Amino acid sequence: MDYTHYTIEDFASDQSFIDWVHQSDPRASAYWERYLDEHPELSTKVEQARILVLNLKRAQETHQDPVVIDALWDKIQARTESKTQIHISSDTETEKPIKRSVSQIRFLAAASVLLLCLCVMVWFVSRQDTAKPRSDLYVYHNSLKEEYSEQVNQTGKPVKVLLSDGSMIVLENKSRLKYKTDYTNDSTRDVYLLGNAFFEVAKNPYKPFIVHSNEVFTKVLGTSFHVEAPEDGKNIVVSVKTGKVSVYTLKTESNVATTSITNSREGVTLLPNQCVSYQRTEQSFNKMIVDSPQIVNAKITKADFRFENTPIAEVFNTLETAYGIEIMFNAETMKNCFLTAPMGNESLFEKVKIICQTIGATYEVIDAKVIITSSGC
């Protein structure tokens, strides 16, 4: 079947898709994993539909204003009734309605109930008080199925958790982690974090590793990074040690009157020594350099930082290679700048400060880049 033109709602109401999301039918799981491998362009839409399916039960169980529900039902019922009649016309007869079969009516009724649940869920999310961060905006940690194991750290010290795929997680004190003991039949490796943890993810280019931390998603194929996601904290912070990480959130815009749901994916890509802070109340990302950048290139030694009458472009290139952080400067303005400075164990920012003091320049950090300002030497 061709699903390329399916909307998010179409996926969320497809029984085979629902079986795959809930891992309740091995045949559906095998089919959808194969289909998604062949159609990677659908990954974003499928992820959004998957979240809708996972949250549907929570939306159904949530108490809502009866007036709102009645209004939604009236709209859906009116739409359903109009679809249960087929009109025929001729040159000599007035159009007459012909009722659908009983099975068709039942199908439409079931679809209407599902659509109503989706509408209620959208209304529920849209009514949340954005002034106070909530831990249940997109992922409901406590409502995950029994197939997920939970590790709660109350030991007062970090605890290591080893997953079946070889990934290792260091769960910090007063933090909670939910994960599966087996991801063999899954298209992604999803874990759910409330609190702080460090992740060393085993590489698997065919099965992304996704950390759900409140409304923020951290997606990788294999790398090491740290997530700070307090359950009711104002900010969520992700910092990268090695590899490449995608951090994003799904912003849902809904129109209850037309039952339409649209999602936009916003976020940033992080490299080693970079981090991002997501302000939950403002729903914004702030990309930065970590407080203590570490050398990420094993080929760099202390001797590489002993500069003697070295062109400044070469100096900055050495720092970029060592720490993986982009340093921007005006090469033409600074072409006559040379550095003599025997450095070694200083931190990145200490090195940059020494360099700027020596050549009469200044620096600032913007969008996880070091910006050098100089009038020349």
Side-chain angles (χ1 to χ4, degrees), residues 336-361:
N336 294 321
C337 295
F338 296 84
L339 179 70
T340 297
M343 293 185 287
N345 292 325
E346 301 87 354
S347 68
L348 170 64
F349 293 120
E350 288 174 340
K351 289 184 175 73
V352 172
K353 185 176 180 180
I354 292 173
I355 294 170
C356 288
Q357 289 177 341
T358 303
I359 64 174

Side-chain angles (χ1 to χ4, degrees), residues 8 69 86 105 110 119 162 164 191 209 218 226 228 253 261 265 270 274 280 282 325 327 339 358 371:
I8 295 170
I69 294 179
I86 301 175
I105 293 175
C119 292
L162 184 63
S164 59
V191 300
F209 191 99
T218 303
H226 188 271
E228 298 177 23
E253 297 179 357
I261 304 173
R265 182 167 170 171
L270 300 178
Q274 293 182 347
R280 301 181 67 191
E282 293 82 5
I325 294 174
I327 300 177
L339 179 70
T358 303
I371 313 297

Side-chain angles (χ1 to χ4, degrees), residues 73-133:
W73 176 250
D74 288 342
K75 293 178 184 295
I76 294 171
Q77 190 174 37
R79 178 175 299 182
T80 304
E81 290 174 352
S82 68
K83 289 182 178 180
T84 58
Q85 297 179 339
I86 301 175
H87 293 83
I88 60 172
S89 61
S90 66
D91 295 334
T92 59
E93 275 190 347
T94 304
E95 293 185 358
K96 295 182 180 180
I98 298 178
K99 291 186 177 180
R100 291 184 182 270
S101 67
V102 173
S103 60
Q104 289 174 315
I105 293 175
R106 286 177 178 173
F107 173 80
L108 286 168
S112 298
V113 172
L114 176 60
L115 187 58
L116 174 64
C117 292
L118 290 175
C119 292
V120 172
M121 184 195 70
V122 172
W123 177 86
F124 172 71
V125 172
S126 67
R127 295 273 300 202
Q128 296 300 315
D129 181 7
T130 57
K132 180 182 178 181

Side-chain angles (χ1 to χ4, degrees), residues 165-229:
D165 68 338
S167 298
M168 191 271 291
I169 302 170
V170 179
L171 188 65
E172 297 185 13
N173 187 43
K174 297 182 179 180
S175 299
R176 301 168 59 192
L177 179 75
K178 282 197 173 184
Y179 58 95
K180 282 189 175 182
T181 55
D182 186 9
Y183 289 99
T184 302
N185 296 322
D186 291 36
S187 59
T188 57
R189 296 170 288 169
D190 295 85
V191 300
Y192 298 81
L193 172 69
L194 292 177
N196 303 340
F198 176 77
F199 296 80
E200 286 188 359
V201 178
K203 292 184 178 180
N204 187 341
Y206 303 104
K207 192 170 292 190
F209 191 99
I210 302 177
V211 180
H212 301 252
S213 43
N214 297 320
E215 64 269 38
V216 172
F217 304 80
T218 303
K219 183 177 181 179
V220 301
L221 297 177
T223 184
S224 58
F225 58 97
H226 188 271
V227 178
E228 298 177 23

Side-chain angles (χ1 to χ4, degrees), residues 358-376:
T358 303
I359 64 174
T362 59
Y363 80 94
E364 57 184 331
V365 178
I366 301 176
D367 192 31
K369 299 180 179 67
V370 177
I371 313 297
I372 306 294
T373 302
S374 172
S375 57

Side-chain angles (χ1 to χ4, degrees), residues 7-27:
T7 65
I8 295 170
E9 296 88 340
D10 290 335
F11 280 114
S13 60
D14 185 278
Q15 187 57 51
S16 174
F17 183 86
I18 294 171
D19 291 340
W20 168 68
V21 173
H22 293 305
Q23 294 295 302
S24 58
D25 184 348
R27 290 177 300 178

